[in-house]
């Protein structure tokens, strides 16, 4: 049974997946909770695969990922402010 390599390209990394279902350029794939657009066919990195397909997050998924990153940054900033405030309160000696 032939295997096909899926290269999932994120903003900061790539993930490799193998599948036995050959996609075509232009297809939209559902992988986990995300939708991916197949944008390019090329030579595989994995010796077991016959063909590789480069996949990019669908636009709606990209917007969702950006919102999650922004929310995460906001949570980190809030946690840093709380930690700083706790540190300041720890320096005040009780009367």
């Amino acid at each position: 049974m032939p295997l096909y390599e899926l290269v999932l390209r994120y903003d900061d990394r790539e993930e490799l997946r193998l599948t036995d279902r050959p996609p075509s350029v232009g297809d939209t794939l559902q992988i986990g909770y995300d939708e991916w657009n197949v944008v390019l066919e090329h030579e595989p990195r994995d010796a077991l695969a016959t063909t590789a397909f480069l996949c990019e997050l669908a636009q709606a998924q990209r917007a969702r990922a950006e919102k999650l990153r922004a929310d995460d940054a906001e949570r980190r900033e809030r946690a840093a402010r709380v930690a700083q405030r706790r540190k300041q309160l720890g320096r005040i000696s009780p009367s």
Side-chain angles (χ1 to χ4, degrees):
M1 172 186 315
L3 292 175
Y4 305 92
E5 185 178 85
L6 300 177
V7 181
L8 308 180
R9 181 173 285 169
Y10 291 90
D11 289 337
D12 59 345
R13 70 186 188 287
E14 290 183 349
E15 287 185 15
L16 298 178
R17 308 277 176 98
L18 291 176
T19 182
D20 60 350
R21 298 181 194 163
S24 297
V25 173
D27 284 353
T28 299
L29 307 174
Q30 182 77 31
I31 301 174
Y33 295 107
D34 296 323
E35 288 185 353
W36 295 86
N37 294 326
V38 181
V39 296
L40 182 69
E41 183 177 333
H42 61 87
E43 290 296 316
R45 297 178 200 169
D46 192 305
L48 298 175
T50 58
T51 307
F53 296 90
L54 178 64
C55 303
E56 294 181 345
L57 275 173
Q59 188 60 35
Q61 301 301 319
R62 188 175 300 282
R64 182 177 140 261
E66 289 172 8
K67 181 177 181 339
L68 288 173
R69 280 194 296 275
D71 289 349
D72 189 47
E74 183 180 326
R75 279 192 294 277
R76 283 193 307 265
E77 289 174 17
R78 196 174 4 184
R81 286 193 304 268
V82 168
Q84 182 64 29
R85 182 70 177 140
R86 284 182 179 163
K87 192 175 181 181
Q88 290 172 346
L89 290 173
R91 292 183 189 155
I92 300 173
S93 58
S95 308

